[in-house]
Amino acid sequence: SSLVFFHEVTIPPRTVEGTHQHIGSEELYYITSGSGIAYMGEHDDPKLASFPLVERQLFGLNPKKCRKVEVQPGSVIFTKSGGVHGIENPGDTPLKFVAFLYHST
């Protein structure tokens, strides 16, 4: 695959990166500081099956069921092509992560 971008993202306190879907690309988030809530598509990762389900509005699409997963420094979120994800910072300090997005092969 080819790397499309790699950058550090800061989610300010009490802010949400909207839940969205990638088609034809995959994305990995590595949490470097802060804590928050990641929203992952209901069936995107079988290891998350025990996490609570919530309904999330997707950019430009109908709502979808997502797993609500707590994240902290060292957490990794991986989304395959067609997968759904978003991240929320409900706290009082910035949530920072490094995002890698690349085309699927």
Side-chain angles (χ1 to χ4, degrees):
S1 63
S2 61
L3 185 67
V4 175
F5 70 73
F6 155 75
H7 66 273
E8 184 178 61
V9 178
T10 299
I11 306 293
R14 296 168 300 286
T15 304
V16 176
E17 174 208 50
T19 307
H20 57 284
Q21 183 175 33
H22 291 272
I23 303 293
S25 63
E26 299 179 344
E27 190 166 24
L28 182 139
Y29 292 173
Y30 178 78
I31 310 301
T32 57
S33 67
S35 61
I37 305 294
Y39 297 97
M40 305 294 295
E42 177 180 12
H43 301 293
D44 291 347
D45 187 342
K47 293 181 293 212
L48 302 178
S50 64
F51 287 86
L53 272 176
V54 295
E55 191 166 84
R56 299 288 295 171
Q57 180 65 47
L58 269 63
F59 284 133
L61 300 171
N62 291 326
K64 296 222 180 204
K65 290 185 178 180
C66 294
R67 299 285 174 189
K68 185 177 178 180
V69 181
E70 291 184 19
V71 294
Q72 60 191 9
S75 296
V76 175
I77 300 300
F78 176 71
T79 307
K80 296 177 184 177
S81 176
V84 171
H85 67 271
I87 196 162
E88 176 179 6
N89 180 0
D92 295 324
T93 59
L95 169 62
K96 294 184 180 186
F97 61 93
V98 179
F100 303 84
L101 185 128
Y102 45 93
H103 290 295
S104 301
T105 54

